[in-house]
Structure formats: C-alpha cells, structure tokens
Amino acid sequence: MKLFLAGLLIPWVLPIGPLNLSVYRIVLVLALLPCLVMWSLGKAGKKRSADFGLLLFCLLAAISFVVVQGIETSIEPAGILFIESMGSYLLARVCIRNAQDFQNMVVYVAKLIVCLLPFTLYEWVTGTNLLLLAFGTVFRTEAITRMAPRMGFWRVQGPFSHSILFGTFCGSMFALTCLATKGRLSGASRVVLTALVGFSALLSMSSAPIGGLAVQIALLLWNKVLGGFAGRWKLLWAIAFVCYLVVEFGSNQTPAQFYISHFTFDQQTGWYRLWIWDYGSASVANHPIFGIGLAPWARPTWMSGDSVDNFWLLMAMRHGLPAFLFMTLSWLSIWLSIARKRESDPAINACRTAYLICMTSFVFVGSTVHFWVAAYAWFFFLGGSGVWILDSKAPLQAPNIEGPRSRHLDAGSGSIQTRRGLKVAGQRDIQPRERMGEMLPGAHRAPTRK
C-alpha cells in the first residue's frame, strides 16, 4: 500500500512494451490479482453490493468503449480503467481493515505532502517546478503546465499533471488529518500537520480545491460546535435543502449553475463551466446508453478546449447513464451505510466522521473538476479505505462486578443482584466478617484438609 501511495507522487511515465505506465499503475498491476483473490476469499471483510456495483461499472465502461470505438482501440483504455478503479478500490479494502490501519495511512500520506512542501513552496514563488525537472533527468515525466500567476504567485503543479489535481490531492487530506489522527498524534502535532496539509492545498491557487477545503472546514466546525447534539447532521441536511429551494425558486439559475458560477476564482472560468454543463448534458441526452467513449464531444467552435471540468458529468458522457448509475449508486451505498452506522468507539467514530467529510468534499470538487490519472486512482482508493467501518464491531464490555453489592440474594439461583442490575452466577454474598475469617452465626465451617 505504501508503494502505491508513494507512487502517486512519483511523476515518471515508464515505457513498458507498447504501454507507458506510471509508478502507481505498475504497483496496481502487480497487486490486482492478489487483491482479487483475497477479496473473493473474504479477507477484505464482508462482500458489499458496492463491490459488485463497481465491477459492473468497469464492465459497462469497457462495453461502451468497444461499442463506440471498436475492440482494437478499446483494450488499453478499458484495461487501464479497470486497474485504476478496481485495483485502487480493492487495495484499500484489503490493506485497511481497522482504525489503526486507517490512521497509519492518513499519517503516512500527510507526511508525504509535508516532504513535498519545500519544492512546492519554491514553485509557488518562482514558477519553477523542481520536482518534474529533477525526475525528468532520469525518465520521462508529466509535462510542465505553467499557468498564469494569480495574486502574484504561481499555481503549483507539483508532481501531478495539473495544479488542480495537486490541490485536490492535498485538500482531500485536510479533514482526515485533522480528525482521524486523534489518539494517534499529540494535539500539537495534529494541529501543525493539518495546517501544513491545508496550506499545501492553497498553493494550487485553484478555486475547486480551495472550495473543497472550505467545505471541510465548515463541516469540521459544525461537528465541533454541535458535537453534543445527536441530530446535528439531520439539521444540516435540512438547512441544505432549504438553501436548495431558495436557489431553485429565487434565482434564474439552477443550483448547479449557481454553485459553478459563484464558487470560482475567475468569473470567466465559471461561465465556461456552465457552458460545459449545458453542452455536456446535451451529449448525455443524445447518447444515453453507451456514451461517446473517448471521442470528441459536440460543442460550439468557440469552445476550443476539449476538457470537461466535471467528473460526474464526464463519466456519464463517456460511458453512458447505466455505467454512471452503477458507479454513483455504489458510492452512495457505501457512504450512506457508513453514515447510518453508530459507533461507541471514539477512534472509529472520528475516522467515520473524517471519512464522510472527505467524501463530501470530493462530491463538491468533482462538480467543477475532472479526476484523471493519479487523482482518479486516489479517489477510488480513498473511497474504498472507509469500508472497514461497516465491518467494525464495538468491543465487548465485561460486566462490572467490583462495585458495591446489595445484600439481596436471588432465591434458588445462588446469584447476587448488584446495584447496577448485574447478576454473577455461582457466587454468594460474602460479608466483611467472613473475609476476616469469622463465620456468620449459624454457618458451618468446611473441614480443613490436612
């Protein structure tokens, strides 16, 4: 697992036969078959409906490639999709089985982000990507996408294909580092590590990751302030629904348009995302079953860029509605099941809350950003990293028999009733005098063996 996580941050693109594979993909190729075997043998916990739903998503996506593009040009993209989707998901399912595994993963990734900080700070100030330049002296790496500065600073790309992906990766760790490491790190270490992770996300200077960071901070504060109120999340859902109605009936924009146009750094990019939404939705309506595969999508000539800045929309455009529904319903089944699970263990409950906040930020960020290559694999890995919560069981509580006892004997059973209502079978009420070696009146001492 650590090789995979470190491989996400190694930007090499290695030529292996006819393929160009990155480090994390090589790790997934080697781990896929063992993970499938362990999952089938029950070593990854109980098999979930989401497991089969994601398998069906990969199958339908492969079929959509074949139908649209033909079988010869579909083998490679379908294979890569399966490796990055199921490979990452099952790796997390197999390797993360309890709270300690989950916390260790979070701390490890947070430390990796901190190790990148000297290089990303230099890129932020000077615009020079030392990471890609250094790795590029050995093997081919991702291309450097030097973008115009914002507010006097350069947008940090780091080891990823784009600054948005770097911000998404770092930002997704904020709530996990803040909340899931309780009990694993000291309070001061947790604060410092969380601050450095959040600062790293800000270096991307991208509105979507920063918006996801703001969502996580808001949810963490909500959980902190209303921590003693059991219905705090239901109340939040009610407030969100009211806000949805206000935007739906009080604005000339749809809720999706309102979010896209108001939560971006550049107003022009916000409007461009609205056009992507309009023409992308039309593409889904025109090709609802198998999608368009990797073919160019229909749009006006003045929309020169072919990228779709919406992960959820692009999945429906590329693979069709059936595959899209299997993917989204699988994730929802996991998230809703974890949200409904009640935990008495504080460590598990902290991991559960942090995981759900992280996934919520992915939903928001994905509505204005597409996840590809390492960020896509990271999303599926993180999604699978929380399934262990559904298999966790509260530790058994031993009966407390040390407290003060009442003097009432339960007739005919030889047991005593404690003040807490617990009965201990086979014991009689021992009086202080007997413990001192003095027999009660009328009792008979057992003969002593000599």
Side-chain angles (χ1 to χ4, degrees):
M1 181 180 70
K2 288 186 176 181
L3 285 176
F4 165 75
L5 296 173
L8 293 172
L9 304 181
I10 298 177
W12 282 331
V13 181
L14 306 174
I16 300 178
L19 302 176
N20 291 319
L21 296 179
S22 52
V23 174
Y24 77 90
R25 283 179 176 173
I26 295 174
V27 175
L28 290 177
V29 169
L30 296 176
L32 180 59
L33 183 58
C35 287
L36 278 170
V37 172
M38 294 180 72
W39 170 75
S40 63
L41 295 176
K43 301 297 184 180
K46 180 182 177 181
K47 296 181 180 65
R48 304 284 171 181
S49 59
D51 302 345
F52 300 99
L54 291 175
L55 281 170
L56 286 172
F57 158 70
C58 293
L59 175 62
L60 290 175
I63 293 174
S64 71
F65 280 138
V66 172
V67 170
V68 176
Q69 302 171 191
I71 190 169
E72 292 184 359
T73 59
S74 300
I75 295 176
E76 181 180 343
I80 292 296
L81 178 77
F82 182 77
I83 291 170
E84 289 189 335
S85 302
M86 291 307 300
S88 303
Y89 174 78
L90 290 178
L91 182 66
R93 293 274 277 114
V94 169
C95 294
I96 301 178
R97 298 303 312 142
N98 51 52
Q100 185 178 4
D101 294 340
F102 189 78
Q103 290 174 330
N104 289 340
M105 180 273 294
V106 170
V107 172
Y108 179 73
V109 176
K111 288 181 177 179
L112 287 177
I113 293 173
V114 173
C115 289
L116 295 178
L117 198 53
F119 304 98
T120 54
L121 274 174
Y122 186 83
E123 182 183 357
W124 188 50
V125 175
T126 66
T128 303
N129 193 326
L130 292 178
L131 286 170
L132 292 183
L133 290 175
F135 279 102
T137 60
V138 182
F139 292 109
R140 184 167 68 88
T141 65
E142 301 287 352
I144 296 178
T145 56
R146 194 173 183 180
M147 304 181 70
R150 287 178 173 173
M151 297 184 288
F153 295 98
W154 295 90
R155 301 176 63 182
V156 173
Q157 177 185 355
F160 290 88
S161 303
H162 198 281
S163 60
I164 288 179
L165 300 185
F166 173 76
T168 299
F169 177 81
C170 297
S172 65
M173 286 297 299
F174 185 80
L176 295 173
T177 309
C178 177
L179 200 56
T181 56
K182 278 187 175 181
R184 174 67 170 75
L185 300 176
S186 65
S189 299
R190 190 161 55 87
V191 170
V192 171
L193 194 59
T194 302
L196 292 176
V197 167
F199 179 68
S200 297
L202 294 176
L203 298 182
S204 68
M205 306 294 288
S206 299
S207 55
I210 293 176
L213 198 64
V215 168
Q216 293 181 73
I217 293 173
L219 293 176
L220 287 169
L221 289 174
W222 180 271
N223 183 64
K224 180 69 174 179
V225 173
L226 299 178
F229 177 44
R232 60 190 180 278
W233 299 115
K234 293 180 181 179
L235 176 62
L236 184 61
W237 276 110
I239 294 174
F241 181 69
V242 171
C243 292
Y244 171 86
L245 294 178
V246 170
V247 174
E248 180 70 29
F249 297 105
S251 172
N252 58 356
Q253 293 179 320
T254 66
Q257 293 173 336
F258 184 87
Y259 170 73
I260 292 172
S261 62
H262 287 78
F263 293 93
T264 53
F265 265 126
D266 189 349
Q267 192 71 17
Q268 182 178 356
T269 62
W271 286 111
Y272 195 84
R273 283 183 168 92
L274 289 179
W275 293 323
I276 290 175
W277 175 265
D278 290 337
Y279 290 103
S281 301
S283 176
V284 175
N286 292 330
H287 307 87
I289 306 301
F290 298 110
I292 60 173
L294 299 177
W297 53 291
R299 61 192 186 279
T301 55
W302 50 265
M303 293 181 68
S304 56
D306 61 349
S307 64
V308 177
D309 296 330
N310 190 316
F311 172 72
W312 313 106
L313 177 62
L314 183 60
M315 289 295 100
M317 291 171 58
R318 184 172 288 175
H319 307 300
L321 286 176
F324 168 77
L325 288 175
F326 272 112
M327 183 192 69
T328 53
L329 291 177
S330 297
W331 289 128
L332 285 174
S333 70
I334 293 174
W335 300 339
L336 293 177
S337 297
I338 292 176
R340 289 195 299 264
K341 196 171 192 304
R342 295 295 175 260
E343 280 296 339
S344 58
D345 188 296
I348 297 178
N349 199 45
C351 292
R352 167 180 165 271
T353 304
Y355 170 82
L356 291 173
I357 291 175
C358 173
M359 292 295 104
T360 301
S361 73
F362 261 113
V363 172
F364 278 92
V365 173
S367 64
T368 57
V369 169
H370 173 50
F371 308 137
W372 72 97
V373 291
Y376 178 89
W378 171 242
F379 169 62
F380 271 76
F381 177 86
L382 267 188
S385 70
V387 182
W388 65 271
I389 299 173
L390 298 175
D391 298 321
S392 64
K393 296 180 180 179
L396 296 176
Q397 299 291 332
N400 184 3
I401 62 175
E402 300 299 329
R405 300 181 178 91
S406 68
R407 299 178 183 268
H408 173 67
L409 291 174
D410 188 7
S413 65
S415 65
I416 60 173
Q417 180 75 30
T418 68
R419 290 183 181 179
R420 298 189 181 183
L422 297 176
K423 292 184 178 181
V424 184
Q427 295 185 12
R428 57 193 179 89
D429 194 10
I430 302 175
Q431 300 300 329
R433 289 173 59 195
E434 185 175 353
R435 288 196 295 265
M436 298 288 292
E438 300 179 10
M439 298 297 296
L440 292 173
H444 301 280
R445 186 185 300 272
T448 304
R449 179 175 300 176
K450 296 183 180 181

